[in-house]
Amino acid sequence: AGLHVLVRTKDIVRGLSQGNKQTQDMIEYALRYVEIKPPRDIGNDEIYSGLASLQGIVDKYMPESIAKGAMKKGMSTATKINKAIDVLMWYRLMAGAKLIVFERELEKAIIANSKLPLEKQKSQHELAKMAGQFVNDAFGGQNWRRLAENVDNAFGRKWAAAMASENGMKWANLVMFAPDWTVSNLRVLAKVFPGIEKDPIARKMYQRYALRAAIYYATIGAGIQMMLTGKPIWENDDPTKLDLGDGRTMTFSKQVMEPFHWVKNPIHEATVKQSSLLKGIEEQVLNKEYIGGRAGPITTEDDPVFTAAGKRLKIAGQHFAPIFVQDIGRNGPEGVYGFFGHPIYGHIRYGFKKANGELE
């Protein structure tokens, strides 16, 4: 599926560069129903303005030195890395994948609709709205105004409209990390059930998604753990994560498992899903490397002043780096798994657990 997306995305880019009318018409039609632009969650503007402000402070107040040059070089490199990742992730892979899945889901919906009695058939516009909303839920990147308009009762619609406003979205991003991503993940699981998604054609889109995810986890995920530990995933303390057998765990699919994490431990999930700003402030005030985790203090009483300042600056600076770069900082090269939605947590335990729980 991933290879198909890459190949088809390349075809779309080639068609646009060559002025292919069929490609242009397809994209124009899809844009009526699918949000192609990156979601606010990724915080492009906030990250770049924050880095620019930090660079301005360094230029103004820090005397010329090797350290100043290194800091400026580091911030410039961080900006370039973020921009390169943004182009690849959001403007190529994500946009292309959304267009391709919209095409395929709309085609399936049209075929399913044609098999219904004539009086129950829907227009292509209605089917495209279903396919477009499914794509926005599955990939993230919502049309919040449209979501607000679809709320049934007047009270709920009023609050949804307030949340969908520019100020509402700003406050949501200040309080919570990736609200768009979280809402999308919860919707894509909830709409599997008939009581929530009433239209059978739309519901089948979400059910196919959930079924594929369950099959992947029960086969590939379970197989990986059996090879590493010799035990099935249902014996794990947390069945939503794979046991790597060395003291660490892996979330097989962060997107699929997030709703289950909210159900399993909502207080912990709400803690770790705070915005980077709130977590950054709490880390500094509480002197803790990671809010919501078991990490130790940032500094100790024995640290010299400049050492303590450097440690605090390092923790604060981590919030400006992409998540998978933060994972690489914690886990080394294996942190790249986080880029593909399979982050690794914990620390290596030097020894493997035997069946009786002892280490060898």
Side-chain angles (χ1 to χ4, degrees):
L3 182 61
H4 172 76
V5 168
L6 287 172
V7 172
R8 183 73 180 98
T9 300
K10 191 174 181 180
D11 290 341
I12 292 172
V13 172
R14 186 188 300 113
L16 284 175
S17 64
Q18 295 175 351
N20 185 287
K21 189 176 185 308
Q22 185 177 2
T23 301
Q24 292 173 343
D25 290 346
M26 181 274 289
I27 292 176
E28 287 178 9
Y29 182 74
L31 288 177
R32 301 178 195 175
Y33 307 100
V34 179
E35 291 296 304
I36 295 296
K37 63 183 180 181
R40 293 184 59 121
D41 285 355
I42 63 173
N44 279 349
D45 296 337
E46 290 84 351
I47 288 175
Y48 298 138
S49 63
L51 285 169
S53 299
L54 188 59
Q55 191 159 359
I57 292 171
V58 170
D59 285 335
K60 187 173 182 180
Y61 297 105
M62 194 171 179
E64 292 297 331
S65 63
I66 296 175
K68 179 178 180 178
M71 286 186 67
K72 290 178 66 175
K73 183 68 173 177
M75 287 183 285
S76 174
T77 302
T79 300
K80 290 177 181 177
I81 291 173
N82 269 292
K83 287 186 175 180
I85 292 172
D86 288 340
V87 170
L88 173 65
M89 176 65 77
W90 306 110
Y91 295 97
R92 285 292 183 93
L93 294 179
M94 185 66 75
K98 277 193 163 189
L99 291 171
I100 295 158
V101 174
F102 173 75
E103 281 184 305
R104 295 173 70 172
E105 291 299 328
L106 178 57
E107 182 181 359
K108 291 176 185 176
I110 291 172
I111 293 172
N113 187 61
S114 67
K115 297 177 181 178
L116 295 175
L118 192 60
E119 66 275 9
K120 292 185 178 181
Q121 289 186 10
K122 295 177 172 57
S123 66
Q124 182 166 317
H125 170 65
E126 292 174 300
L127 298 175
K129 280 180 64 178
M130 292 178 187
Q133 187 56 60
F134 166 74
V135 169
N136 290 338
D137 288 339
F139 288 92
Q142 297 288 346
N143 183 322
W144 290 94
R145 180 183 58 79
R146 188 178 297 161
L147 283 182
E149 291 172 352
N150 290 337
V151 176
D152 293 334
N153 62 83
F155 180 78
R157 191 181 301 111
K158 180 180 178 180
W159 279 101
M163 282 297 299
S165 67
E166 186 68 20
N167 284 334
M169 293 307 302
K170 283 182 180 178
W171 278 105
N173 280 278
L174 279 173
V175 173
M176 188 177 188
F177 177 77
D180 186 300
W181 175 262
T182 300
V183 170
S184 298
N185 284 343
L186 293 173
R187 281 176 57 87
V188 82
L189 179 66
K191 290 170 81 70
V192 168
F193 303 102
I196 298 176
E197 177 52 68
K198 297 175 182 177
D199 190 279
I201 294 178
R203 191 165 63 246
K204 280 188 179 298
M205 297 179 187
Y206 295 90
Q207 289 173 340
R208 285 194 295 266
Y209 174 96
L211 181 60
R212 282 195 299 267
I215 291 173
Y216 291 153
Y217 190 54
T219 54
I220 301 174
I224 290 172
Q225 179 169 308
M226 284 296 290
M227 286 189 293
L228 293 174
T229 67
K231 71 174 185 177
I233 53 178
W234 57 82
E235 291 184 5
N236 295 351
D237 294 334
D238 183 355
T240 66
K241 294 180 180 179
L242 302 181
D243 184 350
L244 299 185
D246 60 1
R248 298 178 300 168
T249 59
M250 172 191 278
T251 298
F252 183 69
S253 172
K254 190 171 178 64
Q255 180 178 16
V256 172
M257 295 304 173
E258 184 171 323
F260 297 102
H261 293 161
W262 277 102
V263 173
K264 181 176 180 288
N265 196 339
I267 295 177
H268 174 267
E269 196 67 13
T271 301
V272 300
K273 290 292 289 187
Q274 295 178 94
S275 69
S276 294
L277 175 64
L278 287 182
K279 284 192 290 187
I281 293 172
E282 291 168 12
E283 286 166 355
Q284 299 296 330
V285 171
L286 300 175
N287 192 30
K288 191 170 184 180
E289 286 186 359
Y290 176 66
I291 294 298
R294 297 180 181 177
I298 301 173
T299 62
T300 65
E301 294 180 357
D302 298 330
D303 287 334
V305 174
F306 286 107
T307 301
K311 287 182 177 180
R312 287 185 176 275
L313 187 61
K314 177 184 176 183
I315 295 299
Q318 287 177 356
H319 293 290
F320 292 103
I323 293 176
F324 91 94
V325 174
Q326 297 177 34
D327 288 340
I328 291 175
R330 287 192 295 266
N331 298 312
E334 289 181 329
V336 75
Y337 290 124
F339 182 76
F340 299 100
H342 313 296
I344 296 173
Y345 302 98
H347 300 282
I348 292 178
R349 178 185 60 231
Y350 291 98
F352 283 77
K353 271 190 178 181
K354 295 189 290 187
N356 61 3
E358 296 178 358
L359 292 181
E360 64 174 357

